[in-house]
Amino acid sequence: MTTTNKTAKYTPRLKQEYVKSIVPALQKQFSYTSTMAVPKIEKICLNQGLGIAVSDRKLVEAAVNEMTAITGQKAVTSKSKKDIANFKLRKGVAVGCRVTLRGDNMYDFLDRLISAALPRIRDFKGIERKGFDGSGNYTLGITEQIIFPEIVMDKVSRIMGMDITFVTTAQTDDEACALLEAFGMPFKKLNNEENN
C-alpha cells in the first residue's frame, strides 16, 4: 500500500492578495483591457553604502550579515571599480552590500517591511511620495537598519541606512503609486486628502 504525502505549497499573503483583490481593483481604476496590463512588482533591490566603514573589514562583514538576516537571502558586497585618491579608495575594495529579491522572497520582505519595520520608525507619519523616478520605480531611504525586527540591538556596532528600490512594470508614477498603495505602503497623505 502506497500513500502519497501532498503538502500544501506556501504562497505569501501579499501574493494572494495581489491576485485576488489588487489586480481587479487596478484594472477597474485604470481601465486596463487585460489583466496582463496591470502593473506588478518585478523585484525589490536593497543597497547599503558603507561610507567610512570601508577600511574596517568587520563592519563590512556585519553589514552583509545584517542585510542577509533582514532579507532572508545572502547579501553580496559591492566593490569599487577604480582608485580614488581623495577618498583613499583602492580598486576592488568592498564599499557596500546589496540584495535583489524576486518571487516569494520579495513578497515576504514587502509584507514584513509594511507591517513590522516601517511602523517602528520614530515619529512615523508616512513615507514621502518624492521617490518615484518617472518610469514607475520607487526608491525609499531608510536611515536606521534597526527598524527591522530581525536585527538584534546588542549586536549592532554601527547605525547604517539603506536604499530600498521597488522596480515595477508600471508605465507611469501614478500607476506605480496606486500599486504600492494597494499593497499597503503608507504614503503621506496629500494636502487635499487631509482636508477631506
Side-chain angles (χ1 to χ4, degrees):
M1 188 171 111
T2 58
T3 56
T4 54
N5 185 11
K6 291 183 180 177
T7 56
K9 188 178 182 306
Y10 165 72
T11 307
R13 181 181 70 87
L14 287 182
K15 190 175 186 179
Q16 292 174 351
E17 195 174 312
Y18 174 74
V19 174
K20 286 180 183 172
S21 57
I22 295 174
V23 169
L26 290 178
Q27 192 171 2
K28 186 177 178 184
Q29 183 180 347
F30 291 100
S31 306
Y32 296 119
T33 53
S34 165
T35 54
M36 298 302 287
V38 177
K40 63 181 181 227
I41 301 176
E42 280 188 330
K43 59 186 176 181
I44 297 176
C45 304
L46 287 85
N47 185 31
Q48 188 174 50
L50 299 175
I52 58 168
V54 168
S55 56
D56 191 345
R57 183 172 274 167
K58 284 184 180 174
L59 282 175
V60 174
E61 286 176 17
V64 169
N65 291 337
E66 284 175 359
M67 192 170 278
T68 300
I70 288 167
T71 60
Q73 187 173 306
K74 179 71 175 154
V76 296
T77 55
S78 307
K79 297 196 177 353
S80 59
K81 292 191 169 81
K82 58 184 179 180
D83 298 338
I84 303 174
N86 290 351
F87 297 113
K88 296 178 182 170
L89 189 65
R90 311 295 290 156
K91 184 178 178 181
V93 174
V95 292
C97 59
R98 59 194 159 90
V99 173
T100 301
L101 301 170
R102 290 182 174 87
D104 288 357
N105 279 358
M106 174 186 77
Y107 285 108
D108 283 336
F109 172 77
L110 182 60
D111 201 353
R112 291 195 314 272
L113 176 72
I114 292 168
S115 57
L118 289 177
R120 290 175 56 153
I121 296 176
R122 267 177 288 169
D123 304 325
F124 185 67
K125 293 181 177 76
I127 57 175
E128 293 287 341
R129 295 174 186 264
K130 296 175 187 171
F132 290 99
D133 67 350
S135 302
N137 304 316
Y138 179 73
T139 301
L140 167 67
I142 302 286
T143 53
E144 300 176 336
Q145 84 276 33
I146 55 173
I147 64 166
F148 291 97
E150 295 87 359
I151 300 295
V152 180
M153 284 290 292
D154 299 336
K155 294 182 180 177
V156 173
S157 52
R158 188 162 174 263
I159 300 292
M160 292 185 281
M162 66 179 70
D163 290 326
I164 304 171
T165 302
F166 302 88
V167 179
T168 72
T169 59
Q171 301 297 312
T172 66
D173 289 345
D174 289 339
E175 291 172 293
C177 185
L179 173 67
L180 293 174
E181 276 185 316
F183 275 114
M185 195 67 82
F187 287 108
K188 281 185 179 173
K189 296 228 182 315
L190 297 168
N191 291 336
N192 56 356
E193 287 177 6
E194 288 172 353
N195 295 335
N196 291 339

